[in-house]
Amino acid sequence: MNSTASSYQPLGFLSRLGRNRHVVMLYDDEKQADLFIVRYFADGLAKGESCVFLTEVEPTPIRQKLAVLGIDVGEFEAGNHFRFFQTPRTAAGKVDALDVQRALVAESTKGMRGPFRFVGRTISDTESIEGMSQGMEFEKVGNDHFEEFGIGLLCFYDVRRIEQSRRGRWIRGLLENHQSVIYASDPRRSVAFETSLLEMR
Amino acid sequence: MPKAKRNKMEIYNDILTAINQESCHGEARPTRIQAKSNLAYDKLMRYLVELEGMETITREPLVLTQRGHDFLQDYDRIKGFLEEMGVKYLRIKGGRED
């Protein structure tokens, strides 16, 4: 059996992923995380979806990294199927989280044709208690209204950089506020599944 | 003594393991699966419908699909991730008590 194709390992999971899913990727291996992001975009582009990479930094290094990993996004940018959209660093501090997220989706997809697939970080400051508290609220509001956005979203967080004193609580909150989780780690440990599997019965 | 509570993943694992073991010895019978997975019959029936919807089993005959085998194969990996993250279960809407 080819273990990389298993339904609960990230590549197999991504290939089965339906539209408009809110997914969190927790990673401790950046190379694996990059591979899964590339696969997520490649699957979307192959299905004719438009893709948006939300970033707080200048996107040239990301564009280069994606090219090395197999997606020449320049070609898709020219056809208006792919876009980098620079976001302010701390969106989570805004007063109305829902309005901020609605506006972000509307602005970042202006002139593009759906369906849409996003990659980005909703929580920009993961290393402080305040940043995580605000960010978790932002994630919760987004998840509670996720259907109305009409997008797929892969949020990615480095677990090594999540505030340590309440790490279990933050991770639990992230899982509760996403529909699926991908753990991007050593290939022997990477896994992906629907968070509803953890409902208590 | 009260039964230890299980999350949905643990219950699915118990049912799929029981089906896998029973189908090695011929036809997997719901009554045997019920006993092995420690569930009331009506709850087992509900879970079998869910597992069929997840494409992890077929009902006639009652056997695992490839996706069901994938679940058993990767169950320890999922558990390992959760242990490492310090999470056992989630407070998600729709959860029901046994």
Side-chain angles (χ1 to χ4, degrees), chain B residues 24-73:
Chain B
C24 289
H25 307 296
E27 192 182 342
R29 296 174 187 279
T31 47
R32 297 276 301 161
I33 307 304
Q34 179 200 349
K36 284 194 161 191
S37 57
N38 196 22
L39 287 164
Y41 193 78
D42 61 329
K43 288 196 170 105
L44 173 66
M45 291 298 115
R46 195 179 78 208
Y47 286 120
L48 290 180
V49 169
E50 290 181 14
L51 288 164
E52 188 178 33
M54 292 166 61
E55 301 173 17
T56 54
I57 61 166
T58 61
R59 297 287 292 280
E60 290 179 9
L62 185 53
V63 289
L64 300 195
T65 62
Q66 181 57 52
R67 193 158 154 74
H69 286 290
D70 287 350
F71 183 94
L72 292 182
Q73 178 188 296

Coordinates of all heavy atoms in Angstrom, one line a residue, chain B residues 24-73:
Chain B
C24 N -12.5 -11.3 9.4 CA -11.5 -12.3 9.1 C -12.0 -13.7 9.3 O -11.4 -14.7 8.8 CB -10.3 -12.0 10.0 SG -9.4 -10.6 9.6
H25 N -13.0 -13.8 10.2 CA -13.6 -15.1 10.5 C -14.9 -15.4 9.8 O -15.7 -16.2 10.3 CB -13.8 -15.2 12.0 CG -12.6 -14.9 12.8 ND1 -11.4 -15.6 12.8 CD2 -12.3 -13.9 13.7 CE1 -10.5 -15.1 13.6 NE2 -11.0 -14.0 14.1
G26 N -15.1 -14.7 8.7 CA -16.4 -14.9 8.0 C -17.2 -13.6 8.0 O -16.6 -12.5 8.1
E27 N -18.5 -13.7 8.1 CA -19.4 -12.5 8.0 C -19.4 -11.8 9.3 O -19.5 -12.4 10.4 CB -20.8 -13.0 7.7 CG -21.7 -11.8 7.3 CD -23.1 -12.3 7.0 OE1 -23.3 -13.5 6.8 OE2 -24.0 -11.4 7.0
A28 N -19.2 -10.5 9.3 CA -19.2 -9.7 10.5 C -20.7 -9.4 10.9 O -21.4 -8.9 10.1 CB -18.5 -8.3 10.3
R29 N -21.1 -9.9 12.1 CA -22.5 -9.7 12.5 C -22.6 -8.5 13.5 O -21.8 -8.4 14.4 CB -23.0 -11.0 13.2 CG -23.0 -12.2 12.3 CD -23.4 -13.5 13.2 NE -23.3 -14.6 12.4 CZ -24.2 -15.1 11.5 NH1 -25.3 -14.4 11.4 NH2 -24.0 -16.2 10.8
P30 N -23.7 -7.7 13.3 CA -23.8 -6.5 14.1 C -23.8 -6.8 15.6 O -23.3 -6.1 16.4 CB -25.2 -5.9 13.6 CG -25.2 -6.4 12.2 CD -24.6 -7.7 12.2
T31 N -24.4 -8.0 16.0 CA -24.5 -8.3 17.4 C -23.1 -8.5 18.0 O -22.8 -8.1 19.1 CB -25.3 -9.5 17.7 OG1 -25.0 -10.5 16.8 CG2 -26.8 -9.2 17.6
R32 N -22.2 -9.1 17.2 CA -20.8 -9.3 17.7 C -20.1 -8.0 17.7 O -19.3 -7.7 18.6 CB -20.1 -10.3 16.7 CG -20.7 -11.7 16.7 CD -20.1 -12.5 17.8 NE -18.7 -12.7 17.7 CZ -17.9 -13.1 18.8 NH1 -18.5 -13.3 19.9 NH2 -16.6 -13.2 18.7
I33 N -20.3 -7.1 16.7 CA -19.7 -5.8 16.7 C -20.1 -5.0 17.8 O -19.4 -4.3 18.5 CB -20.0 -5.1 15.3 CG1 -19.7 -5.9 14.1 CG2 -19.3 -3.7 15.2 CD1 -18.3 -6.4 14.0
Q34 N -21.4 -5.1 18.2 CA -22.0 -4.3 19.3 C -21.3 -4.7 20.6 O -20.9 -3.9 21.4 CB -23.5 -4.7 19.4 CG -24.2 -4.0 20.6 CD -25.5 -4.7 21.0 OE1 -26.0 -5.5 20.3 NE2 -26.0 -4.3 22.1
A35 N -21.1 -6.0 20.8 CA -20.5 -6.5 22.0 C -19.0 -6.0 22.1 O -18.5 -5.5 23.1 CB -20.5 -8.0 22.1
K36 N -18.3 -6.2 21.0 CA -16.9 -5.8 21.0 C -16.7 -4.3 21.1 O -15.6 -3.9 21.6 CB -16.2 -6.3 19.7 CG -16.0 -7.8 19.7 CD -15.0 -8.2 18.5 CE -14.4 -9.5 18.8 NZ -13.3 -9.8 17.9
S37 N -17.6 -3.5 20.6 CA -17.4 -2.1 20.6 C -18.1 -1.4 21.8 O -18.0 -0.2 22.0 CB -17.8 -1.4 19.3 OG -19.2 -1.7 19.1
N38 N -18.8 -2.2 22.6 CA -19.4 -1.8 23.9 C -20.4 -0.6 23.7 O -20.2 0.4 24.3 CB -18.2 -1.3 24.8 CG -18.7 -1.2 26.3 OD1 -19.8 -1.8 26.6 ND2 -18.0 -0.4 27.1
L39 N -21.3 -0.9 22.7 CA -22.3 0.2 22.4 C -23.7 -0.4 22.5 O -23.9 -1.6 22.2 CB -22.1 0.7 21.0 CG -20.9 1.6 20.8 CD1 -20.6 1.7 19.3 CD2 -21.2 3.0 21.3
A40 N -24.7 0.4 22.8 CA -26.1 -0.1 22.7 C -26.4 -0.3 21.2 O -25.8 0.4 20.3 CB -27.0 1.0 23.2
Y41 N -27.3 -1.2 20.9 CA -27.6 -1.6 19.5 C -28.0 -0.4 18.6 O -27.5 -0.2 17.5 CB -28.6 -2.7 19.4 CG -28.7 -3.3 18.1 CD1 -27.8 -4.3 17.7 CD2 -29.7 -3.0 17.2 CE1 -27.9 -4.9 16.5 CE2 -29.8 -3.6 16.0 CZ -28.9 -4.5 15.6 OH -29.0 -5.1 14.3
D42 N -28.9 0.5 19.2 CA -29.4 1.6 18.4 C -28.2 2.6 18.1 O -28.1 3.2 17.0 CB -30.5 2.3 19.1 CG -30.2 2.9 20.4 OD1 -29.3 2.3 21.1 OD2 -30.7 3.9 20.8
K43 N -27.3 2.7 19.1 CA -26.2 3.6 18.8 C -25.2 3.1 17.8 O -24.7 3.8 16.9 CB -25.4 3.9 20.1 CG -26.3 4.8 21.1 CD -25.4 5.4 22.2 CE -26.2 6.4 22.9 NZ -26.6 6.0 24.2
L44 N -25.0 1.7 17.9 CA -24.2 1.1 16.9 C -24.8 1.3 15.5 O -24.0 1.7 14.5 CB -24.1 -0.4 17.1 CG -23.3 -1.2 16.0 CD1 -21.9 -0.8 15.9 CD2 -23.4 -2.7 16.2
M45 N -26.1 1.2 15.3 CA -26.7 1.4 14.0 C -26.5 2.8 13.5 O -26.2 3.0 12.4 CB -28.2 1.1 14.1 CG -28.6 -0.4 14.3 SD -28.0 -1.4 13.0 CE -26.8 -2.4 13.8
R46 N -26.5 3.8 14.4 CA -26.3 5.2 14.1 C -24.9 5.4 13.6 O -24.6 6.0 12.6 CB -26.6 6.0 15.3 CG -26.8 7.5 15.0 CD -27.1 8.3 16.2 NE -25.9 8.5 17.0 CZ -25.9 8.6 18.3 NH1 -27.0 8.6 19.0 NH2 -24.7 8.9 19.0
Y47 N -23.9 4.8 14.3 CA -22.5 4.9 13.9 C -22.2 4.2 12.6 O -21.4 4.7 11.8 CB -21.6 4.4 15.0 CG -21.5 5.3 16.2 CD1 -21.9 4.9 17.5 CD2 -21.1 6.6 16.1 CE1 -21.9 5.7 18.6 CE2 -21.1 7.5 17.2 CZ -21.4 7.0 18.4 OH -21.4 7.9 19.5
L48 N -22.9 3.1 12.4 CA -22.7 2.4 11.1 C -23.1 3.2 9.9 O -22.5 3.3 8.9 CB -23.4 1.0 11.1 CG -22.8 -0.1 12.0 CD1 -23.6 -1.3 11.9 CD2 -21.3 -0.3 11.7
V49 N -24.2 4.0 10.1 CA -24.7 4.9 9.1 C -23.6 6.0 8.8 O -23.3 6.3 7.7 CB -26.1 5.5 9.4 CG1 -26.4 6.6 8.5 CG2 -27.2 4.4 9.5
E50 N -23.1 6.5 9.9 CA -22.1 7.6 9.8 C -20.8 7.0 9.1 O -20.3 7.7 8.2 CB -21.7 8.1 11.2 CG -22.7 8.9 11.9 CD -22.3 9.4 13.2 OE1 -21.1 9.4 13.6 OE2 -23.2 9.9 14.0
L51 N -20.4 5.8 9.5 CA -19.2 5.2 8.9 C -19.4 4.9 7.4 O -18.5 5.0 6.6 CB -18.8 4.0 9.7 CG -18.2 4.3 11.1 CD1 -18.2 3.0 11.9 CD2 -16.8 4.8 11.0
E52 N -20.6 4.5 7.1 CA -20.9 4.2 5.7 C -20.9 5.6 4.9 O -20.3 5.6 3.8 CB -22.3 3.6 5.5 CG -22.6 3.1 4.1 CD -24.0 2.4 4.1 OE1 -24.9 2.8 4.8 OE2 -24.1 1.5 3.3
G53 N -21.4 6.6 5.5 CA -21.3 8.0 4.9 C -19.9 8.5 4.7 O -19.6 9.2 3.8
M54 N -19.0 8.0 5.6 CA -17.6 8.4 5.5 C -16.9 7.5 4.5 O -15.6 7.6 4.3 CB -16.9 8.3 6.8 CG -17.4 9.4 7.8 SD -16.9 8.9 9.5 CE -15.1 8.9 9.3
E55 N -17.6 6.5 3.9 CA -17.0 5.6 3.0 C -15.9 4.7 3.6 O -14.9 4.3 3.0 CB -16.4 6.3 1.7 CG -17.5 7.1 1.0 CD -16.9 7.9 -0.1 OE1 -15.8 7.7 -0.5 OE2 -17.6 8.9 -0.6
T56 N -16.1 4.4 4.9 CA -15.1 3.6 5.6 C -15.6 2.1 5.7 O -14.8 1.2 5.9 CB -14.8 4.1 7.0 OG1 -16.0 4.2 7.7 CG2 -14.1 5.4 7.0
I57 N -16.9 1.9 5.5 CA -17.4 0.5 5.5 C -18.5 0.4 4.4 O -19.0 1.4 3.9 CB -18.1 0.2 6.8 CG1 -19.3 1.1 7.1 CG2 -17.1 0.2 8.0 CD1 -20.3 0.6 8.2
T58 N -18.8 -0.8 4.0 CA -20.0 -1.1 3.3 C -20.9 -1.9 4.2 O -20.4 -2.6 5.1 CB -19.8 -1.9 2.0 OG1 -19.2 -3.2 2.4 CG2 -18.9 -1.2 1.1
R59 N -22.2 -1.8 4.1 CA -23.1 -2.5 5.1 C -23.5 -3.9 4.6 O -23.7 -4.8 5.5 CB -24.4 -1.7 5.2 CG -24.2 -0.3 5.8 CD -23.9 -0.3 7.2 NE -25.1 -0.8 8.0 CZ -26.1 0.0 8.4 NH1 -26.1 1.2 8.0 NH2 -27.1 -0.5 9.1
E60 N -23.5 -4.1 3.3 CA -23.9 -5.5 2.9 C -22.9 -5.9 1.8 O -23.1 -5.5 0.6 CB -25.3 -5.5 2.4 CG -26.3 -5.4 3.5 CD -27.8 -5.4 3.0 OE1 -28.0 -5.6 1.8 OE2 -28.6 -5.1 3.8
P61 N -21.9 -6.7 2.1 CA -21.6 -7.2 3.4 C -21.0 -6.2 4.3 O -20.5 -5.2 3.8 CB -20.7 -8.4 3.1 CG -20.0 -7.9 1.9 CD -21.0 -7.1 1.1
L62 N -21.0 -6.4 5.6 CA -20.4 -5.5 6.6 C -18.9 -5.7 6.6 O -18.3 -6.6 7.2 CB -21.0 -5.7 8.0 CG -20.6 -4.7 9.1 CD1 -20.8 -3.3 8.7 CD2 -21.3 -5.1 10.3
V63 N -18.2 -4.9 5.8 CA -16.7 -5.0 5.7 C -16.1 -3.6 5.6 O -16.8 -2.6 5.3 CB -16.2 -5.8 4.5 CG1 -16.6 -7.2 4.6 CG2 -16.8 -5.2 3.2
L64 N -14.8 -3.5 5.9 CA -14.1 -2.2 5.7 C -13.8 -1.9 4.2 O -13.5 -2.8 3.5 CB -12.8 -2.2 6.5 CG -12.7 -2.5 8.0 CD1 -11.4 -2.1 8.5 CD2 -13.8 -1.7 8.7
T65 N -13.9 -0.7 3.9 CA -13.4 -0.3 2.6 C -11.9 0.1 2.7 O -11.3 0.1 3.8 CB -14.1 1.0 2.1 OG1 -13.8 2.0 3.0 CG2 -15.6 0.8 2.0
Q66 N -11.3 0.5 1.6 CA -9.9 1.0 1.7 C -9.8 2.1 2.7 O -8.8 2.2 3.4 CB -9.4 1.4 0.3 CG -7.9 1.8 0.3 CD -7.0 0.8 0.8 OE1 -7.0 -0.4 0.4 NE2 -6.2 1.1 1.8
R67 N -10.8 3.0 2.6 CA -10.7 4.2 3.5 C -10.8 3.8 5.0 O -10.2 4.4 5.9 CB -11.9 5.2 3.1 CG -11.7 6.5 3.8 CD -12.5 7.6 2.9 NE -13.0 8.7 3.7 CZ -12.2 9.7 4.2 NH1 -10.9 9.6 3.9 NH2 -12.7 10.7 4.9
G68 N -11.6 2.7 5.2 CA -11.7 2.2 6.6 C -10.3 1.6 7.0 O -9.9 1.8 8.2
H69 N -9.7 0.9 6.1 CA -8.3 0.4 6.5 C -7.4 1.5 6.7 O -6.5 1.5 7.5 CB -7.8 -0.5 5.3 CG -8.5 -1.9 5.3 ND1 -8.3 -2.8 6.3 CD2 -9.4 -2.4 4.5 CE1 -9.0 -3.9 6.1 NE2 -9.7 -3.7 5.0
D70 N -7.5 2.6 5.9 CA -6.7 3.8 6.1 C -6.9 4.4 7.5 O -5.9 4.8 8.1 CB -7.0 4.9 5.0 CG -6.6 4.6 3.6 OD1 -5.8 3.6 3.4 OD2 -7.0 5.3 2.7
F71 N -8.1 4.4 7.9 CA -8.4 4.9 9.2 C -7.6 4.1 10.3 O -7.0 4.7 11.2 CB -9.9 4.9 9.5 CG -10.3 5.5 10.8 CD1 -10.7 6.9 10.9 CD2 -10.3 4.8 12.0 CE1 -11.0 7.5 12.1 CE2 -10.6 5.4 13.2 CZ -11.0 6.7 13.3
L72 N -7.8 2.8 10.2 CA -7.1 2.0 11.2 C -5.6 2.1 11.1 O -4.9 2.2 12.2 CB -7.5 0.5 11.1 CG -8.9 0.1 11.4 CD1 -9.2 -1.4 11.2 CD2 -9.3 0.6 12.8
Q73 N -5.1 2.2 9.9 CA -3.6 2.3 9.7 C -3.1 3.6 10.4 O -2.0 3.7 10.9 CB -3.3 2.3 8.2 CG -1.9 2.5 7.9 CD -1.7 2.7 6.4 OE1 -2.0 1.8 5.6 NE2 -1.2 3.8 6.0

